[in-house]
Amino acid sequence: MSELFADYRRVTMPLSREDARSLRAGDMVLLDGEITITAGLPTHHRILKCVEDGIDPPIPLQGQSLLHLGSYSQDKPDGGLEVLYMNPTTSTRFNPLMPRLIRHFGLTAVGGKGGLDAGCREAMAEVGCVYFSFLGGGAPLHSAAITAVKEVAWNDLVAHYRLVRLAVNGLGPVTVGIDAHGNSLFETLSQQAQDRMPEILAQMGRERVG
Amino acid sequence: MTFLGKESLSAMPITQEAVKTLSAQLYDWSLRRVPDDTKDALRRARATETHEGAQRVLEIMLGSALRAEQTDRFVCSDAGVPVFRVTLGANARWEGDLKAAIVEGFDELVGRIQPPLLKHVTNPLTNERGYKGKDMPLVTWEVESGVDWIEIACQPKALGSGRWAQAETFSFPSLADIEAYVMKAVMQAGSQHCPPVIIGVGIGGSFDVAAKIASKATYRAIGSVNPEPVLAAMEERLLHAVNATGFGPMGTGGDTTALAVHVDYSAGHGYTPVAICFNCWINRRTRARIHADGTVERME
Ligand code: SF4
């Protein structure tokens, strides 16, 4: 697959503030380096509890990425972990929690699928953070890009809810859905669809008669 | 059509074991392969897309589908929960407990499937997740006159492909009212259900019937023509309308937000429920029949 995606820009994770600001909504890139992921709502609550208690989460998040990706890993005979699959989950359900996490940890990248709302977009523009849209149904591609499982925390949670740090090579391509300059494809497209709706409905009316 | 094997040539009853095995296989198969009609539709969309980013996203989708087949891995790690539609031929003969067969089939699959399934079965009262739960797998039972087979169809449902379904009840709605409501649901789903989607619409009947026929409509093959001319025209209108919204593949912009809109109806009273549901681009969907002689025929 990597040959197929040879013409995409590659960025190193955790994303530097500079790289984050260099990306524009609609850009498509491949990710190399280290990412932190979870697909769990309870996980987000635990991270927020850490923030409230003034302690560090088990995997440090300062200046890191926090991506809404769920994974399933299995013990390898040599003692390591092998990720059998990984895929994004719908980010919008974390809307109320993300602005605080983005600001507190100064995250440089968040992501998943479906986007985040205006409150998150504002927090992202403040700190210099982007949202990566991953392909849902992209498990075979996403999983193949994982080179190592670096750390797994909160093992009492179901597999995809755990906080996991992974090394990746050529993860994606992902689309910059929200950039660090206040542009969100999700908001723009939703507004555009709303603006188009009167004409769409009128057109259906004409077709119904004709 | 593939014939998977003959267990018996005599008109023996269809067994509990056969239903157990096949229902588990259908779930397993659905996770590893994007149906051919769906891949074809994605290729056609890639050819007609005017939005460059969308062409690329469609290309990546086809790449993912291909790689899943080559590596025998899941297309999406959110394997969802098992959802079946079982059609019992009115002349079919069977022995044993077919309801238990489907529960047992899923239990056994959980124990052996590679890669393993995540715990997605959720108790809605506590949000606890596991592999078992009340009424799980979710099964819709139907009876069809004049045939002696049992057909099982499987369409696992996960958050993105399940969450955006909705229904509303109108009184004596016009077609314009119904279509406007479909567009409202499309707007609410927006970018979040892994488009391009397959949309099922059920009109009329009672509340439960509308939902049932909407769901059934999503199983229809892409490109098949609705035999009811009013609905065939409605499907075409709605497909153009949905794609004019511009949400595009993965909701990041483009001309392809839906691959198909399938509509069905039932007569009702005049209070008219309208139900809408979605299947995401991977369109997990498998179907097979067990014939009276024990032959298993895989349809997709
Ligand atoms: S909507 Fe479909 S493709 Fe997207 S994450 Fe859910 S199951 Fe996977």
Side-chain angles (χ1 to χ4, degrees), chain B residues 28-269:
Chain B
D28 189 350
W29 291 332
S30 75
L31 301 175
R32 300 173 197 270
R33 204 182 147 78
V34 176
D36 290 338
D37 64 339
T38 313
K39 279 181 295 198
D40 288 344
L42 291 166
R43 282 188 205 104
R44 285 196 298 274
R46 184 185 50 182
T48 55
E49 258 294 345
T50 57
H51 186 287
E52 197 204 323
Q55 286 167 4
R56 287 175 177 259
V57 175
L58 290 164
E59 183 68 42
I60 303 168
M61 286 174 170
L62 286 160
S64 181
L66 178 70
R67 199 181 173 101
E69 284 172 32
Q70 285 168 344
T71 56
D72 198 27
R73 289 286 174 97
F74 299 165
V75 185
C76 188
S77 51
D78 194 338
V81 292
V83 179
F84 293 98
R85 205 159 50 78
V86 181
T87 310
L88 302 168
N91 303 329
R93 290 202 304 131
W94 68 84
E95 62 172 27
D97 184 339
L98 300 190
K99 203 167 169 176
I102 293 179
V103 176
E104 287 162 9
F106 183 62
D107 280 352
E108 278 190 25
L109 185 72
V110 166
R112 70 161 189 274
I113 190 168
Q114 281 303 329
L117 296 173
L118 296 175
K119 290 178 177 166
H120 287 302
V121 175
T122 306
N123 178 334
L125 308 179
T126 61
N127 286 332
E128 273 168 309
R129 304 186 97 174
Y131 293 116
K132 280 177 178 292
K134 183 171 184 293
D135 300 331
M136 195 57 69
L138 305 172
V139 187
T140 301
W141 299 90
E142 286 191 314
V143 178
E144 185 154 324
S145 300
V147 294
D148 60 2
W149 39 251
I150 293 179
E151 182 179 286
I152 308 176
C154 179
Q155 191 186 92
K157 279 290 179 192
L159 187 75
S161 57
R163 157 75 176 84
W164 304 101
Q166 56 171 285
E168 195 171 314
T169 306
F170 299 83
S171 31
F172 300 97
S174 64
L175 294 187
D177 296 333
I178 292 169
E179 289 167 26
Y181 175 59
V182 174
M183 294 312 291
K184 193 174 126 196
V186 167
M187 285 298 292
Q188 280 174 10
S191 296
Q192 300 169 89
H193 46 4
C194 290
V197 289
I198 288 78
I199 303 178
V201 181
I203 303 168
S206 53
F207 188 72
D208 54 330
V209 167
K212 190 167 125 175
I213 58 180
S215 162
K216 188 174 175 180
T218 62
Y219 286 82
R220 232 179 76 202
I222 298 172
S224 59
V225 178
N226 198 313
E228 178 67 57
V230 175
L231 295 185
M234 185 191 279
E235 289 179 356
E236 211 182 303
R237 259 193 319 272
L238 279 170
L239 182 60
H240 286 146
V242 174
N243 286 335
T245 58
F247 287 109
M250 284 316 289
T252 47
D255 315 320
T256 321
T257 305
L259 296 176
V261 181
H262 293 161
V263 188
D264 202 359
Y265 81 108
S266 289
H269 174 276

Side-chain angles (χ1 to χ4, degrees), chain A residues 87-88 113 136-137, chain B residues 76 78 158 160-161 193-194 280-282 284:
Chain A
N87 204 66
K113 70 178 183 86
Chain B
C76 188
D78 194 338
S161 57
H193 46 4
C194 290
C280 49
W281 76 267
I282 63 175
R284 287 188 288 221

